[in-house]
């Protein structure tokens, strides 16, 4: 077999149609470096994809100690051999010439190379001084959704019981904190109810704020194969843009950004009004239905039509589609999680499934999606600040259990209040109470809102910043110590995708230079700090991934995310869904097939929060509301967005993704095919909006909000009037000296313009609701300043040409004016 056909031009590849209930046919995707054939490959090393949450299983091709390609694993339950464009090409970043190979420390204002002892001793010494002088509240950790389970668990123990700080969070806060919150609110615990196999059985599929075609390409291939097979499912898309998903939808609702709750309340209203609820299911398995029915009573389609600016008849059509479904599968992602009233809206999708009794059966999948490849592990290991194993910080028995597992005193584990969320950590750093911030596997100088503010916080003299990364990214440039990390393909560990499938990813090649696995870095730091348990033994007794996995298995025992039935050996044969135990040795396809045990007051991860203020519900209140552990139906009232369009800022800005890039492009920007497909930032508005503003396709425009301004090429596309979309992937301008922040003139990172505001429940920042204006900077054809400024390396962002229009390569992605 040769390399798969050009998957830049066609991200989804050829169709393999199938009928409802049939197994999804296999299709093996492959890409090898130029000139390499399958016969040349010396070793195929099992792994899974690390550039989205889908968990596509693959083998890494190795030759002469280098990665030379990847091949999908046809036997795996998740992808049956398929891979997306980022996976086919993205591995090339592993061998990029500018990988960090030695630790760096700041000397006289400059980062200089050093050895590991010097770098880590500096971090340990500063930590010790801060703990002595200011206590654990002065130290914080900000990690990722892209490391491995073993690494998160180690970091979690190190932070919770070693440093004993409550300031520990992941970039999962920006990503799927709302997914976790919505699952806790409705079902008492994090944990995805459904399975990807629900796509095989569904008669109706609804995507809420989820551009699956571009962000989970392989799952979308599964949907496309159903759509092209016999008896296809009906498709609902809720998205203000005409995404590739919208174009395949039977009903597409394009609401005003930030109005999801109004729309969902109207859908619930219609379903209840027309009696299409499963009363027996509601009575047996839920509490709170009457409040919901009363709450949505006045939320007619006509009422929502005014708020959402969607025709009432279209809302009714969508309600019919959902109300008539016998096997409904829904997915929710950033169009909900990063929008206004994020948790309240996500919970209404849970309510939709609860009142229709659409859970725990084939085809009745509910996916509060993940985004990052290992975000599920950040959450279950407690590296997002929660207690490991979905334990409840308000439940003393849960804390005591954890203390026993770690052999520490319960008081040694901070649980006096909710864990500090990332946005609050940056606030503490701004105010000066947080003095050391250790950032691993995330690039906040591009990915957090309001970058001018973030840069000034990270650049402060009094804040000691440690950055653990593969590259000298925008954040690392502001660090005091930079630790070179090994990554996927260069280290061994496990991770869990959005449908609870655990994969093992084994080391295929050596990391470059002195780069070390994140696990080894955390373990080395713990040893230097000499963290002890209550009997004087080492707090962290494990030395390698497999031992860390075993320690985690003990911690997960008896909890919803029980890993005790798994082993590295078993995982070598393919992915397995947790919980996996002695009683369920092959894993568990669906949760909640028989009630909602995780919601029991003694077991639940959270007692829930107020839908408006986010105030925590007390244990006593929860126990009286839900004594027997049923699913909780929680109503929410629509509230208008905080920052709405105005005369000065007439448009609504939303930000998001393109199929070719992953986040801040540290990897995909270094893969030639992907970089060439979308080399530079652009802004999308509708042709009507452009005409109204006197703008034309290809013009260089400024997108301005109260926080900042960026410059981008304009694309006129099919998108709601009044909305401007900007992909958030593009960081600082690139120059021969390296990345450079905007320095007063327009930058190109979307987050120069986004707002410091977050959901009151999940604390997830609002990347999809801000007011903006779009104005002309230069007419089409005029090179912009950066183009003539010497940008010209092969690093991400290198940009010599006017790139307008080139990213679509005829695939009809996005540009459909
Ligand atoms: N190619 C690619 N794939 C990825 C990633 C990537 O960077 N690139 N990242 C991964 C990660 S970490 C994540 S979190 C996921 C994200 O995956 P998605 O959530 O699918 O991606 P986004 O583009 O952020 O947002 C989805 C859609 O939300 C819509 N939207 C904006 N505002 C609203 C609103 O108010 N209401 C509604 N209903 N919709 C709205 C946008 O128009 C957009 O099409 O993708 C994962 N997969
Ligand atoms: N405006 C706007 N902003 C957004 C979003 C949006 O839609 N709009 N989406 C948000 C979402 S959902 C997300 S998930 C975030 C993503 O934001 P980030 O997490 O900041 O984005 P990445 O570019 O993935 O950064 C990951 C970093 O980890 C490094 N890395 C990769 N693998 C490893 C490893 O194995 N070890 C170590 N130590 N480092 C590694 C990479 O080189 C990279 O620098 O952005 C958020 N920001
Ligand atoms: Mo994400």
């Amino acid at each position: 077999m040769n390399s798969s056909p050009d998957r830049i031009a066609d991200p989804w590849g050829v169709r393999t149609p199938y009928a409802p209930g049939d197994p999804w046919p296999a299709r093996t995707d492959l890409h090898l470096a130029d000139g390499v054939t399958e016969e040349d490959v010396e070793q195929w090393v099992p792994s899974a994809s690390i550039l989205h949450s889908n968990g596509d299983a693959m083998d890494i091709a190795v030759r002469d100690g280098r990665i030379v390609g990847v091949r999908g694993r046809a036997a795996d339950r998740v992808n049956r051999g398929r891979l997306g464009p980022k996976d086919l090409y993205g591995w090339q970043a592993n061998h990029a010439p500018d990988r960090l190979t030695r630790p760096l420390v700041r000397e006289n204002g400059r980062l200089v190379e050093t050895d590991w002892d010097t770098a880590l001793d500096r971090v340990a010494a500063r930590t010790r001084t801060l703990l002595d002088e200011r206590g654990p509240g002065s130290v914080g950790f900000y990690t990722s959704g892209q490391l491995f389970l073993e690494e998160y668990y180690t970091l979690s123990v190190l932070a919770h019981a070693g440093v004993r700080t409550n300031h520990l969070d992941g970039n999962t806060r920006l990503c799927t904190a709302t997914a976790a919150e919505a699952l806790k609110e409705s079902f008492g615990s994090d944990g995805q109810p459904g399975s990807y196999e629900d796509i095989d059985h569904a008669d109706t599929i609804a995507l809420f704020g989820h551009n699956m075609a571009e962000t989970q390409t392989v799952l979308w291939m599964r949907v496309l194969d159903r759509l092209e097979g016999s008896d296809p499912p009906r498709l609902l898309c809720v998205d203000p843009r005409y995404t590739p998903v919208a174009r395949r939808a039977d009903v597409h609702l394009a609401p005003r950004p930030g109005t999801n709750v109004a729309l969902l309340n109207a859908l619930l209203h219609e379903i209840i009004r027309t009696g299409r609820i499963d009363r027996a299911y509601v009575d047996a398995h839920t509490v709170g239905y009457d409040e919901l029915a009363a709450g949505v009573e006045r939320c007619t389609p006509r009422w929502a039509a005014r708020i959402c600016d969607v025709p009432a008849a279209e809302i009714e059509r969508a309600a019919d589609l959902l109300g008539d479904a016998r096997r409904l599968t829904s997915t929710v992602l950033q169009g909900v999680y990063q929008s206004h009233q994020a948790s309240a809206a996500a919970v209404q999708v849970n309510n939709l499934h609860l009142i229709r009794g659409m859970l725990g059966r084939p085809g009745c999948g509910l996916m509060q999606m993940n985004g990052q490849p290992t975000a599920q592990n950040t959450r279950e290991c407690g590296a997002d600040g929660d207690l490991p194993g979905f334990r409840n910080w308000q439940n003393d028995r849960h804390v005591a259990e954890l203390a026993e597992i770690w052999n520490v005193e319960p008081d040694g584990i901070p649980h006096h209040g909710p864990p500090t969320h990332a946005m609050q950590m940056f606030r503490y750093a701004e105010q000066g109470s947080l003095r050391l911030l250790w950032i691993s596997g995330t690039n906040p100088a591009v990915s957090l809102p309001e970058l001018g503010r973030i840069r000034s916080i990270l650049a402060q003299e009094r804040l000691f910043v440690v950055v653990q990364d593969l590259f000298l990214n925008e954040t690392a440039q502001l660090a005091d110590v930079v630790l070179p990390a090994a990554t996927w393909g260069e280290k061994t560990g496990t991770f869990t995708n959005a449908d609870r499938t655990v994969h093992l990813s084994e080391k295929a090649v050596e990391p470059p230079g002195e780069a070390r696995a994140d696990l080894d870095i955390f373990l080395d730091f713990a040893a230097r700090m000499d963290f002890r348990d209550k009997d004087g033994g080492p707090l962290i007794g494990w030395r390698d991934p497999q031992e860390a996995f075993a320690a985690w298995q003990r911690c997960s025992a008896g909890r919803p995310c029980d890993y005790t039935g798994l082993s590295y050996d078993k995982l070598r044969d393919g992915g397995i869904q947790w919980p996996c135990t002695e009683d369920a040795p092959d894993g568990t396809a669906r949760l909640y097939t028989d009630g909602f045990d995780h919601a029991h007051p003694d077991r639940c991860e959270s007692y829930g929060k107020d839908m408006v203020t986010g105030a925590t519900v007390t244990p006593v209140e929860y126990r009286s509301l839900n004594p027997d552990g049923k699913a909780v139906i929680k109503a929410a009232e629509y509230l208008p967005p905080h920052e709405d369009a105005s005369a000065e800022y007439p448009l609504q800005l939303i930000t998001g993704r393109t199929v070719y890039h992953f986040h801040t492009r540290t990897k995909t920007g270094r893969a030639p095919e992907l970089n060439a497909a979308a080399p530079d930032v652009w802004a999308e508005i509708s042709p009507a909006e452009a005409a109204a503003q006197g703008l034309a396709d290809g013009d260089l425009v400024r997108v301005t909000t109260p926080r900042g301004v960026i410059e981008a090429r304009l694309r006129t596309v099919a998108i709601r009037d009044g909305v401007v979309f900007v992909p958030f992937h593009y960081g600082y301008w690139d120059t021969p000296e390296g990345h450079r922040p905007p320095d007063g003139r327009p930058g190109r990172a979307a987050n120069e313009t986004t707002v410091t505001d977050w959901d009151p429940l999940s604390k997830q920042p609002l990347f999809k609701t801000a007011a903006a204006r779009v104005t002309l900077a230069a007419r089409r054809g005029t090179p912009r300043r950066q183009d003539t400024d010497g940008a010209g390396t092969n690093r991400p962002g290198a940009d010599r040409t006017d790139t307008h229009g080139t990213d679509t390569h005829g695939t009809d992605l996005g540009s459909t004016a």
Side-chain angles (χ1 to χ4, degrees), residues 146 171 441-443 447 468-469 473 487 518 655 663-664 666 751:
Q146 300 169 41
N171 65 358
T442 182
N443 190 6
S447 56
Q468 187 169 316
D469 207 284
N473 64 14
T487 188
D518 295 279
T655 62
H663 298 169
T664 73
T666 62
N751 282 323

Side-chain angles (χ1 to χ4, degrees), residues 491-512:
K491 61 183 185 182
T492 292
T494 53
F495 55 96
T496 307
N497 78 346
D499 88 336
R500 290 174 284 104
T501 305
V502 187
H503 282 113
L504 174 67
S505 181
E506 295 197 82
K507 178 171 171 173
V509 296
E510 289 301 325

Side-chain angles (χ1 to χ4, degrees), residues 3-264:
S3 289
S4 300
D6 181 1
R7 293 284 296 286
I8 298 294
D10 177 8
W12 307 290
V14 294
R15 296 279 58 77
T16 49
Y18 69 122
D22 283 357
W24 190 27
R27 180 191 99 190
T28 303
D29 292 354
L30 167 81
H31 179 69
L32 295 173
D34 272 354
V36 177
T37 67
E38 274 182 283
E39 292 68 55
D40 299 331
V41 175
E42 289 158 7
Q43 213 192 342
W44 293 97
V45 181
S47 180
S49 51
I50 197 84
L51 297 172
H52 49 76
S53 63
N54 212 53
D56 302 326
M58 60 168 86
D59 291 319
I60 303 173
V62 181
R63 181 186 159 89
D64 294 335
R66 286 173 71 86
I67 301 178
V68 292
V70 291
R71 180 177 69 190
R73 298 184 77 174
D76 198 88
R77 61 173 304 278
V78 168
N79 56 327
R80 310 294 321 279
R82 290 164 191 78
L83 294 174
K86 294 199 296 337
D87 299 315
L88 288 168
Y89 306 111
W91 51 268
Q92 298 169 89
N94 277 60
H95 298 303
D98 59 339
R99 281 286 300 272
L100 291 166
T101 55
R102 298 196 66 200
L104 309 173
V105 290
R106 196 167 288 280
E107 296 287 358
N108 305 318
R110 288 177 49 106
L111 285 169
V112 295
E113 288 196 352
T114 188
D115 53 60
W116 276 100
D117 276 337
T118 307
L120 278 181
D121 277 342
R122 241 186 232 203
V123 181
R126 180 62 76 108
T127 309
R128 241 180 260 113
T129 309
L130 284 170
L131 290 181
D132 290 347
E133 290 174 3
R134 293 170 177 269
S138 59
V139 178
F141 297 88
Y142 181 45
T143 191
S144 182
Q146 300 169 41
L147 310 186
F148 291 164
L149 177 148
E150 294 76 1
E151 300 172 329
Y152 296 131
Y153 184 58
T154 303
L155 175 62
S156 182
V157 181
L158 179 167
H160 279 116
V163 175
R164 299 183 183 182
T165 179
N166 212 19
H167 307 329
L168 164 64
D169 201 359
N171 65 358
T172 48
R173 188 63 58 186
L174 324 181
C175 184
T176 49
T178 303
E181 187 63 42
L183 294 167
K184 292 180 204 175
E185 292 296 332
S186 302
F187 311 121
S189 174
D190 195 345
Q192 202 65 260
S195 163
Y196 286 163
E197 274 147 37
D198 291 324
I199 302 279
D200 309 346
H201 298 276
D203 64 18
T204 307
I205 299 175
L207 283 75
F208 296 93
H210 182 191
N211 183 9
M212 186 195 281
E214 297 198 57
T215 59
Q216 271 169 298
T217 47
V218 169
L219 199 59
W220 182 243
M221 294 172 204
R222 199 163 184 154
V223 173
L224 288 177
D225 286 346
R226 276 296 317 277
L227 290 175
E228 314 239 321
S230 64
D231 203 358
R234 288 174 306 168
L235 194 64
L236 168 66
C237 170
V238 182
D239 194 311
R241 300 192 301 144
Y242 293 77
T243 59
V245 175
R247 274 175 239 145
R248 291 304 297 253
D250 296 281
V251 180
H252 172 212
L253 305 178
R256 278 171 58 78
T259 63
N260 291 316
V261 168
L263 186 69
L264 282 156

Side-chain angles (χ1 to χ4, degrees), residues 260-337:
N260 291 316
V261 168
L263 186 69
L264 282 156
N265 278 352
L267 294 170
L268 292 168
H269 166 101
E270 273 299 281
I271 286 165
I272 291 172
R273 184 185 67 80
T274 53
R276 286 178 284 193
I277 65 164
D278 184 340
R279 190 76 229 194
Y281 187 90
V282 168
D283 289 343
H285 294 300
T286 70
V287 296
Y289 172 76
D290 293 341
E291 289 81 352
L292 178 74
V296 300
E297 200 179 333
R298 57 176 198 88
C299 302
T300 61
R302 287 183 54 153
W303 165 83
R306 276 197 302 276
I307 294 169
C308 308
D309 189 27
V310 170
E314 288 297 293
I315 300 177
E316 283 162 17
R317 277 184 67 206
D320 281 342
L321 207 137
L322 298 169
D324 291 341
R326 281 171 301 131
R327 291 179 305 280
L328 170 67
T329 289
S330 302
T331 72
V332 188
L333 203 46
Q334 299 310 351
V336 172
Y337 302 161

Side-chain angles (χ1 to χ4, degrees), residues 303-482:
W303 165 83
R306 276 197 302 276
I307 294 169
C308 308
D309 189 27
V310 170
E314 288 297 293
I315 300 177
E316 283 162 17
R317 277 184 67 206
D320 281 342
L321 207 137
L322 298 169
D324 291 341
R326 281 171 301 131
R327 291 179 305 280
L328 170 67
T329 289
S330 302
T331 72
V332 188
L333 203 46
Q334 299 310 351
V336 172
Y337 302 161
Q338 294 174 343
S339 193
H340 174 58
Q341 289 194 288
S343 300
V347 163
Q348 301 321 307
V349 179
N350 295 345
N351 290 345
L352 170 68
H353 278 256
L354 286 168
I355 67 173
R356 300 227 56 234
M358 299 272 168
L359 277 161
R361 288 187 281 127
C364 300
L366 170 59
M367 299 276 177
Q368 296 287 352
M369 272 296 172
N370 290 343
Q372 289 178 91
T374 77
Q376 189 62 49
N377 309 105
T378 314
R379 278 148 49 188
E380 62 206 22
C381 293
D384 63 346
D386 285 346
L387 295 184
F390 300 152
R391 288 181 175 83
N392 186 339
W393 62 268
Q394 288 177 285
N395 184 333
D396 286 342
R397 293 240 300 279
H398 286 197
V399 178
E401 197 176 72
L402 202 55
E404 200 179 301
I405 295 166
W406 291 343
N407 195 31
V408 299
E409 298 295 346
D411 283 350
I413 304 171
H415 61 284
H416 48 275
T420 316
H421 60 94
M423 298 296 283
Q424 187 65 35
M425 260 195 257
F426 277 82
R427 182 93 183 107
Y428 288 154
E430 188 171 42
Q431 292 170 330
S433 67
L434 195 135
R435 293 294 175 107
L436 186 153
L437 184 60
W438 186 331
I439 298 167
S440 48
T442 182
N443 190 6
V446 181
S447 56
L448 279 179
E450 213 182 331
L451 291 182
R453 171 174 175 259
I454 298 303
R455 276 193 292 274
S456 72
I457 292 171
L458 290 173
Q460 290 174 102
E461 191 66 38
R462 67 183 177 194
L463 180 70
F464 190 81
V465 178
V466 182
V467 169
Q468 187 169 316
D469 207 284
L470 320 181
F471 297 102
L472 195 64
N473 64 14
E474 289 83 348
T475 308
Q477 289 174 49
L478 298 167
D480 296 284
V481 175
V482 178

Side-chain angles (χ1 to χ4, degrees), residues 564-584:
T564 50
L566 291 172
S567 66
Y568 275 20
D569 258 348
K570 234 164 126 171
L571 290 171
R572 283 194 179 98
D573 294 333
I576 301 175
Q577 288 169 289
W578 67 242
C580 178
T581 61
E582 218 173 58
D583 296 337

